[in-house]
Amino acid sequence: MRLALLGCGTVGQEVVRLLHAQAADLTARIGAPLEIAGIAVRRLGRDRGDLPVDPALFTTDALGLIKRDDVDVVIEVVGGIEPARGWLVEALRAGKSVVTANKALLAEDGVALHEAAAEGGGDLYYEASVAGAIPLLRPLRESLHGDRINRVTGIVNGTTNFILSAMDATGAGFAEALEEATELGYAEADPTADVEGFDAAAKAAILASLAFHTRVGAADVHREGITEVTAADVASAQAMGCTIKLLCIAARGVDPAGRETVSVRVHPAMIPRSHPLASVGDAFNAVFVEADAAGQLMFYGRGAGGAPTASAVLGDVVAVARNRLAGVRAASESAYADLAVRPMGEALTRYHVSLDVADRPGVLAAVAGVFARHDVSIATVRQGSAGGSSGAAGRAGDAELVIVTHVAPDAALAATVGELRGLDIVRSVTSVLRVEGGV
Ligand code: NDP
Ligand code: HSE
């Protein structure tokens, strides 16, 4: 079974090491040896340490390598949309099987890849694209196929989880925690894809598509990152017995016309410390799945890093190699449900709002009136001295109001906060956070 490896960076190098270290076992498991036919990279002269591989295998001609007749399986660990899309479509149309870790491409144009796989008759596997080493996509696309999944809630980005965990543990602000993540090698030099939620949104699209048998792309996902999360937000969450996580949430719903829908969003949210996802610290990932018959399931582990990601890649390589030897291909992705994607404004969530207000008669009633006008029901109200949980010095004559709502459409909650910001009696809105997981 001959492999073309596209990319030999953080993940690719570990794929090479694992192929070498596990060679005998992999041969026994597959029924044929795996052999690297070539490795495509951008810079031939780059130092790749003491990789156990013949240097003559390296090439800068990825397309030429893919087109070779003796290549059966293409492993893509380069990343990005182009040229990866062109390479993989070419490989799949030619009947090769593809294993990829490229979540950005799958979320952007998974349809083109699946169509090319169907045309060529090879397999398209991508376990490593979401949550690194955690076996998650195979359970969604195989083990849970007899059940009905209603909701998937996950922490799927290690960098942002490291940053938020550090903010929670030390009281640091976002910039300080990001600096620490960069120094320790968790955050990349350009952390935009992670901290702005693009990486998590791509993973959310892949998860939602598999969980609900429908097509969800990156553009369908409502995305907010963590750059606006402040130390005051973290303190507010702690005062409520909560912590803040960047969550990806994919949920079934029903629109006003009674049609089944799906909503997919990525944003920071408060969750109670008793929730299973609250204890997921450092750069770990975890995904919480709720299904009709299976009930609640949690998948936990390392979501990033060369070796953990290579583990998932190699698992896929074994699966596609076995299929090729048996002359079969895995069942295609099913998108039969064809669910409409609901806009964020219609997503049902809860808000936690902290306000510094004038402390005089009628203020609480006026604030409550704003919530009522937008048909948002208040669950709890707490009043303290201004600057309370935010730690800021309060002004004499001011008070802090902390309001947690019941579930309401996001648009109504956002409009409520917008109106509150315009009130004279509201000195400042110190923190607005969504609340998930039943506080
Ligand atoms: P790296 O940047 O470390 O490696 C990318 C590799 O691709 C390098 O070997 C680079 O060559 C090669 N490359 C880039 N452009 C070209 C090109 N035009 N032609 C040929 N080769 C090219 O990336 P990672 O290993 O971190 O990530 C790879 C993929 O895995 C991405 O899709 C990523 O999202 C995904 N992934 C990564 C995880 C991680 O923890 N790193 C976790 C889960 C998924 P050269 O070495 O010469 O520069
Ligand atoms: N940058 C990603 C993370 C890598 O921090 O989780 C894994 O996809």
Side-chain angles (χ1 to χ4, degrees), residues 103 156-159 194 199 203 303-304:
K103 59 251 171 176
V156 291
N157 183 268
T159 306
D194 292 320
D199 177 79
K203 293 166 177 169

Side-chain angles (χ1 to χ4, degrees), residues 6-12 40-44 46 48 60 62 76-80 83 87 101-103 128-129 132 199 303-306 309:
L6 312 182
C8 196
T10 306
V11 179
V41 293
R42 192 172 31 190
R43 296 162 289 172
L44 283 179
R46 182 179 167 189
R48 292 172 217 278
T60 52
E76 187 266 312
V77 282
V78 169
W87 293 339
N102 193 337
K103 59 251 171 176
S129 65
D199 177 79
T309 309

Side-chain angles (χ1 to χ4, degrees), residues 29-395:
R29 287 170 198 167
I30 294 166
L34 295 174
E35 197 180 314
I36 299 179
I39 304 176
V41 293
R42 192 172 31 190
R43 296 162 289 172
L44 283 179
R46 182 179 167 189
D47 178 15
R48 292 172 217 278
D50 56 349
L51 269 193
V53 71
D54 179 356
L57 290 175
F58 283 91
T59 175
T60 52
D61 181 11
L63 201 54
L65 174 60
I66 291 164
K67 284 181 170 171
R68 274 169 49 177
D69 289 339
D70 63 339
V71 165
D72 303 292
V73 177
V74 173
I75 304 172
E76 187 266 312
V77 282
V78 169
I81 308 301
E82 294 293 357
R85 172 168 39 199
W87 293 339
L88 297 193
V89 167
E90 174 79 29
L92 289 163
R93 281 198 184 134
K96 324 238 166 190
S97 294
V98 164
V99 172
T100 177
N102 193 337
K103 59 251 171 176
L105 175 56
L106 285 156
E108 173 75 18
D109 206 1
V111 175
L113 300 186
H114 288 298
E115 284 175 359
E119 195 183 319
D123 279 327
L124 171 63
Y125 273 53
Y126 44 94
E127 183 66 64
S129 65
V130 183
I134 307 174
L136 174 64
L137 302 193
R138 205 76 61 79
L140 289 180
R141 75 187 223 176
E142 291 176 12
S143 322
L144 287 163
H145 258 193
D147 208 336
R148 177 185 163 89
I149 296 173
N150 295 310
R151 189 178 170 96
V152 178
T153 311
I155 296 170
V156 291
N157 183 268
T159 306
T160 48
N161 201 49
F162 179 89
I163 293 170
L164 292 172
S165 301
M167 290 173 75
D168 187 64
T170 65
F174 169 76
E176 200 185 327
L178 171 61
E179 207 177 300
E180 190 191 350
T182 310
E183 272 165 24
L184 292 174
Y186 288 109
E188 294 184 30
D190 178 2
T192 312
D194 292 320
V195 299
E196 296 291 0
F198 289 101
D199 177 79
K203 293 166 177 169
I206 296 168
L207 288 176
S209 301
L210 287 176
F212 305 127
H213 302 269
T214 191
R215 288 203 170 122
V216 177
D220 297 318
V221 182
H222 173 85
R223 175 193 53 78
E224 293 170 32
I226 63 163
T227 53
E228 308 282 312
V229 177
T230 63
D233 291 332
V234 173
S236 285
Q238 287 175 343
M240 292 274 300
C242 292
T243 186
I244 300 176
K245 296 291 185 189
L246 181 69
L247 295 183
C248 99
I249 300 169
R252 284 186 191 276
V254 179
D255 71 11
R259 288 175 311 168
E260 269 211 87
T261 59
V262 62
S263 75
V264 192
R265 49 197 165 106
V266 166
H267 55 69
M270 282 173 44
I271 51 170
R273 287 192 184 272
S274 56
H275 192 284
L277 289 176
S279 57
V280 178
D282 288 331
F284 279 85
N285 283 191
V287 177
F288 194 68
V289 177
E290 296 167 70
D292 268 357
Q296 299 179 333
L297 303 164
M298 175 125 140
F299 299 83
Y300 171 84
R302 291 190 189 279
T309 309
S311 164
V313 169
L314 261 286
D316 280 356
V317 169
V318 171
V320 303
R322 279 183 181 150
N323 285 352
R324 289 186 84 80
L325 282 177
V328 297
R329 73 181 289 254
S332 344
E333 306 293 317
S334 62
Y336 70 89
D338 198 20
L339 304 178
V341 179
R342 228 163 162 189
M344 182 60 190
E346 292 177 16
L348 297 178
T349 183
R350 302 171 65 198
Y351 271 24
H352 166 283
V353 186
S354 300
L355 310 167
D356 276 358
V357 296
D359 191 6
R360 59 170 193 257
V363 168
L364 187 55
V367 167
V370 176
F371 282 83
R373 263 198 297 290
H374 293 279
D375 207 19
V376 173
S377 176
I378 292 173
T380 62
V381 181
R382 181 164 54 83
Q383 180 171 332
S385 53
S389 56
S390 70
R395 286 197 295 185

